[in-house]
Amino acid sequence: MTCPLCHPEGENILWQDALCRIIRVADDDNAGYCRVIWTGHVAEMTDLEAAEREHLMRRVYAVEGALRECFSPAKINLASLGNMVPHLHWHVIARFEDDARFPDPVWAPPKRSGAPQPDVDDDTLCRALAQWLGRMDD
Amino acid sequence: MTCPLCHPEGENILWQDALCRIIRVADDDNAGYCRVIWTGHVAEMTDLEAAEREHLMRRVYAVEGALRECFSPAKINLASLGNMVPHLHWHVIARFEDDARFPDPVWAPPKRSGAPQPDVDDDTLCRALAQWLGRMDD
């Protein structure tokens, strides 16, 4: 099977380098949803070298920081699952107490119609992300 | 409300230092399930200092390595959610293609009666974990 993360289509890329990319996920229920995707086709964090893990996680933390800054969520959810697509990627999701599934994970069935969430455009999120990426590499 | 991770009861602790602890979770559906719990009552990774994040994640990676070694799972799932208990903790879970929920996350409703999983006792897991913890601090 062709790996959809090795051969992506239509991704909304906010930032990338040779090792990984940060995309924004279009999700009607979760306005503040990004993924950090490792470029190489590996499955697990322990398939990476220590420096590679650190590189990847600093990007995850930067996304967390930017989502907190832009969305003021109740909670951030971080997850690397990959059961469907075993190509290393991190979900970084801003959660709200009145979102469609809170306090369940975003993969659970919806509990309610979610309330409106902050309307943050890509440019605003990118600017916050750039600042957080800079801080993480200090 | 009293935080159940600040005032734990009946945890099966495999390893701990002043900053965090690693516990094994008794879960009938998932034999290889650990949590890495930060000692301080903070909610998010970006509430920690960079060195603290690195300390915590090296323990998460060590658990991942030990679970891979002991269980040979199809996939490892890593998640920091905290929607129910906003005290920083990581779920590290060995997943199998014939477990009760695969490929859904372990928080989804079961899809089937899960097949038997490797019978790994705490001592065996602890020994593997000790080796992986050593490697992570090299």
Side-chain angles (χ1 to χ4, degrees), chain A residues 43-47 53-54 57 61 64-65 68 75-84 90 95 102-105 107 136, chain B residues 43-47 53-54 57 61 64-65 68 75-84 90 95 102-105 107 136:
Chain A
E44 309 286 9
M45 289 299 286
T46 47
D47 292 331
R53 281 194 289 268
E54 179 69 8
M57 292 310 293
Y61 308 145
E64 174 181 303
R68 292 181 77 179
K75 191 69 190 68
I76 292 288
N77 287 180
L78 304 177
S80 171
L81 306 176
N83 305 328
M84 306 279 280
W90 281 88
R95 301 299 308 277
F102 198 91
D104 290 345
W107 303 279
M136 287 296 156
Chain B
E44 309 286 7
M45 289 299 287
T46 47
D47 292 331
R53 282 195 289 267
E54 179 68 8
M57 291 312 291
Y61 308 144
E64 174 181 301
R68 291 182 76 180
K75 192 68 192 67
I76 292 289
N77 288 179
L78 305 177
S80 172
L81 305 176
N83 304 329
M84 307 277 280
W90 281 89
R95 301 300 306 278
F102 197 91
D104 290 347
W107 302 279
M136 287 296 156

Side-chain angles (χ1 to χ4, degrees), chain A residues 37-84:
Chain A
I37 303 166
W38 189 251
T39 304
H41 187 79
V42 301
E44 309 286 9
M45 289 299 286
T46 47
D47 292 331
L48 300 183
E49 300 295 325
E52 294 175 323
R53 281 194 289 268
E54 179 69 8
H55 184 91
L56 174 56
M57 292 310 293
R58 285 184 185 198
R59 272 80 206 154
V60 171
Y61 308 145
V63 174
E64 174 181 303
L67 290 176
R68 292 181 77 179
E69 181 179 320
C70 292
F71 287 87
S72 302
K75 191 69 190 68
I76 292 288
N77 287 180
L78 304 177
S80 171
L81 306 176
N83 305 328
M84 306 279 280

Side-chain angles (χ1 to χ4, degrees), chain B residues 15-77:
Chain B
W15 178 92
Q16 62 183 323
D17 68 5
L19 296 176
C20 60
R21 63 190 184 273
I22 299 170
I23 70 167
R24 187 168 185 182
V25 178
D27 180 330
D28 288 342
D29 290 334
N30 299 285
Y33 189 162
C34 292
R35 288 194 194 106
V36 188
I37 303 165
W38 189 252
T39 304
H41 187 81
V42 301
E44 309 286 7
M45 289 299 287
T46 47
D47 292 331
L48 300 182
E49 299 294 326
E52 294 175 323
R53 282 195 289 267
E54 179 68 8
H55 184 91
L56 175 56
M57 291 312 291
R58 287 185 183 196
R59 273 81 205 151
V60 171
Y61 308 144
V63 174
E64 174 181 301
L67 290 176
R68 291 182 76 180
E69 181 179 321
C70 291
F71 287 88
S72 301
K75 192 68 192 67
I76 292 289
N77 288 179

